[in-house]
């Protein structure tokens, strides 16, 4: 790999485009020993514009090779979000003697002679591992003149019914279609008009099955739905999920309509979906999100490129008093970036006395186990520079985790950016654990082994200077602390 991407704020272990604008991850698929990551991109500007699909491949989900743009606008419009699958049995008839890749995406243009958006679903196929693509001459393959927001197809093979399923965002609902061959689609059902959050337009759905508590006899379906920015709410764009059952036609929600489940409590995880065709001997459901927010994405203080993805995460379901809930953890491949590990045990943080560890590295993973002791609030300050810090704290009375980025660095580009992000988090035997990933312009927090995720961008002048523990109104214990330096993915 020749790339050495080292500009100010450039992520050192997250995927970011070599240059210019990126938003949603698209068409993630594993094929012939490669993870493909396509993404919404504007190849000629660092702001959103006419959408193309950018492309990168990886052998390990960590180190990425940037490839040329895969899909460019055509007579049907620009190329909005979508998915890709391996057509193992040549159901589409696009292939000759071996299977290939089919991309299913939204063609976006305007209804002729009008200012109304037109969104229709199209296909492209590749016979050379995604390096070159042919658009299907029968495009578009699915349209509906009555629905304006009609986009972001996620397609998967449903072996029980021997059909392809398309999960499509249709305004304030998700609509399911089925097909034998990816070219002809039939309406199956609609879900969600009255369920979950309707704070913004529904976008970028995904649907997959997961065992609960690793019990393969107890499987549930998870439906991810991103919801767009609503200027009246402070959170901006974010992602919710539903759990339930799916029989190849209809999704039935496990929860009451009013229940809203958030995938991430930080401001910067949007439009994420999962990889298709992960081999069954691996068996993981691997997810990646766009680490930004429509509220301010176009104004982030980077020049050469704009945006990054979250760390790739493994999703699983765990049972709770309220039903099955998603748990997410960074992929285990992340540990290959570990350089120096500094371990500490049984620290005690006295009331109102700070305890500091100096950090001389820019990319860090930090694992902390806290025992509340006699305190009512405790936490850790990531001191980026003399004047910039991010404060991660836990309120033991309210049982809330807080990530305060109001003084994390540059934030003048949007009044919505400075924020204290809050997540409900229960203690277990008076303990919580945090896994932090600190990159040049982001902090990801995985709390209680991934029960809660808080993903946030930050723009400090330096990433990490000191780690400072604090405890209020009593003593906090830290049975275990690991400070881990991470290599840059651009070093090879
Ligand atoms: C989500 C989204 C999608 C759309 C794409 C356009 O972030 O709005 O619904 O396909 O971005 O770039």
């Amino acid at each position: 790999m020749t790339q050495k991407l080292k500009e100010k704020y450039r992520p050192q272990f997250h995927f970011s485009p070599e240059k210019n604008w990126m938003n949603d991850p698209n068409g993630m698929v594993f094929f012939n020993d490669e993870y493909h990551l396509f993404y919404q991109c504007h190849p000629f500007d660092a702001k959103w514009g006419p959408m193309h699909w950018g492309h990168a491949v990886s052998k390990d989900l960590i180190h990425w090779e940037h490839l040329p743009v895969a899909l460019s606008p055509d007579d049907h419009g620009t190329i909005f979000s979508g998915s890709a699958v391996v057509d193992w049995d040549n159901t589409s008839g696009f292939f000759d003697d071996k299977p290939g890749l089919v991309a299913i995406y939204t063609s976006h243009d305007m209804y002729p002679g009008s200012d109304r958006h037109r969104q229709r679903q199209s296909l492209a196929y590749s016979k050379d591992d995604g390096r070159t693509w042919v658009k299907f001459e029968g495009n578009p393959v699915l349209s509906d003149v009555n629905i304006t927001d009609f986009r972001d197809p996620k397609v998967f093979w449903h072996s029980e019914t021997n059909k392809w399923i398309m999960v499509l965002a249709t305004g304030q609902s998700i609509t399911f279609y089925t097909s034998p061959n990816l070219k002809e689609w039939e309406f199956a059902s609609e879900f969600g008009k009255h369920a979950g959050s309707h704070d913004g337009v529904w976008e970028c759905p995904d649907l997959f099955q997961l065992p609960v508590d690793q019990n393969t006899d107890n499987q549930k379906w998870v439906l991810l739905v991103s919801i767009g920015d609503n200027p009246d709410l402070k959170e901006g764009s974010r992602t919710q999920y539903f759990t339930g059952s799916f029989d190849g036609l209809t999704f039935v929600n496990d929860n009451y309509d009013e229940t809203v489940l958030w995938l991430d409590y930080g401001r910067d995880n949007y439009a994420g979906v999962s990889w298709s065709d992960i081999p069954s001997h691996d068996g993981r459901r691997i997810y990646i999100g766009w680490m930004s927010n429509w509220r301010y994405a176009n104004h982030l203080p980077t020049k050469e490129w704009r945006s990054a993805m979250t760390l790739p995460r493994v999703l699983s379901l765990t049972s709770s008093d309220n039903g099955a809930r998603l748990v997410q953890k960074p992929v285990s491949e992340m540990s290959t970036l570990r350089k120096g590990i500094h371990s500490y045990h049984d620290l005690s943080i006295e009331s109102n006395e700070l305890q500091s560890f100096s950090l001389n590295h820019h990319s860090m993973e930090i694992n902390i186990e806290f025992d509340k002791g006699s305190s009512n609030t405790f936490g850790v300050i990531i001191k980026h520079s003399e004047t910039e810090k991010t404060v991660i704290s836990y309120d033991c009375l309210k049982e809330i985790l807080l990530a305060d980025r109001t003084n994390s660095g540059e934030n003048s580009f949007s009044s919505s950016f400075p924020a204290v992000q809050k997540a409900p988090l229960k203690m277990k035997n008076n303990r919580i654990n945090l896994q932090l990933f600190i990159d040049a312009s982001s902090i990801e927090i995985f709390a209680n082994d991934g029960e809660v995720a808080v993903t946030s961008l930050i723009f400090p002048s330096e990433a990490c200077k000191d780690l400072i523990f604090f405890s209020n109104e009593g003593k906090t214990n830290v049975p275990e602390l690991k400070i881990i330096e991470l290599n840059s993915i651009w070093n090879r």
Side-chain angles (χ1 to χ4, degrees), residues 23-24 40 48 51 80-81 106 151-152 203-204 270-271 290 294:
N23 57 294
D24 315 355
Q40 290 285 280
W48 190 86
M51 284 293 104
F80 270 22
S81 287
T106 300
R151 59 178 180 265
D152 310 337
E203 301 184 312
C204 299
Y270 192 62
W290 175 44
W294 278 119

Side-chain angles (χ1 to χ4, degrees), residues 256-490:
Y256 295 119
D257 279 355
E258 308 73 56
T259 307
V260 180
L261 305 174
W262 297 116
L263 181 71
D264 197 304
Y265 289 88
R267 294 280 166 89
D268 300 305
N269 181 359
Y270 192 62
V273 289
S274 66
W275 256 272
S276 182
D277 293 279
I278 297 292
S280 52
H281 64 81
D282 176 319
R284 292 179 294 180
R285 181 54 58 174
I286 305 172
Y287 162 96
I288 202 166
W290 175 44
M291 195 155 57
S292 195
N293 190 314
W294 278 119
R295 178 65 57 86
Y296 41 68
N298 273 291
H299 308 290
L300 299 180
T302 59
K303 284 197 296 285
E304 298 83 354
W305 85 101
R306 199 167 265 131
S307 296
M309 296 300 178
T310 67
L311 288 180
R313 304 170 182 188
V314 176
L315 300 181
S316 54
L317 278 177
T318 184
S319 49
S320 78
D321 295 346
N322 302 315
R325 294 292 179 260
L326 270 183
V327 165
Q328 51 194 309
K329 292 183 185 164
V331 292
S332 57
E333 287 87 338
M334 272 305 294
S335 63
T336 60
L337 291 179
R338 289 178 172 186
K339 202 156 76 168
I341 304 190
H342 309 274
S343 297
Y344 304 85
H345 299 279
D346 300 321
L347 304 172
S348 63
I349 318 298
E350 300 298 329
S351 188
N352 302 321
E353 271 180 36
L354 302 176
Q355 202 168 131
S356 279
F357 294 81
S358 59
L359 309 169
N360 291 314
H361 204 71
H362 290 296
S363 305
M364 308 285 304
E365 174 188 344
I366 296 173
N367 298 330
I368 314 169
E369 171 120 22
F370 285 101
D371 181 326
K372 97 178 237 348
S374 54
S375 66
N376 66 11
T377 316
F378 57 79
V380 69
I381 300 167
I382 317 292
K383 182 169 160 192
H384 305 295
S385 70
E386 286 315 317
T387 53
E388 299 163 323
K389 60 182 181 179
T390 302
V391 182
I392 300 167
S393 59
Y394 186 72
D395 181 328
C396 306
L397 300 175
K398 295 192 184 136
E399 296 198 291
I400 292 178
L401 180 70
L402 301 98
D404 179 351
R405 68 169 179 196
T406 50
N407 292 307
S408 296
E410 172 60 35
N411 60 18
S412 60
F413 54 90
S414 163
S415 59
S416 298
F417 191 80
V420 182
Q421 301 152 105
K422 296 180 185 167
L425 182 73
K426 293 256 175 255
M427 287 184 278
K428 289 182 183 149
N429 299 324
N430 284 330
R431 291 181 175 204
I432 63 160
N433 65 58
L434 302 180
Q435 183 179 26
L436 315 178
F437 286 90
I438 307 168
D439 203 340
S441 48
S442 62
I443 297 189
E444 272 156 297
I445 307 174
F446 299 93
N448 283 0
D449 304 310
E451 244 173 52
V452 156
V454 183
T455 303
S456 43
L457 292 172
I458 49 167
F459 293 96
S461 46
E462 292 162 63
C464 322
K465 204 171 172 55
D466 296 297
L467 188 67
I468 306 171
F469 286 89
F470 64 89
S471 175
N472 295 339
E473 309 287 335
K475 188 171 102 174
T476 303
N477 302 313
V478 176
E480 186 153 351
L481 164 66
K482 276 203 175 82
I483 300 179
I484 305 162
E485 295 164 2
L486 299 178
N487 282 312
S488 167
I489 59 174
W490 308 122

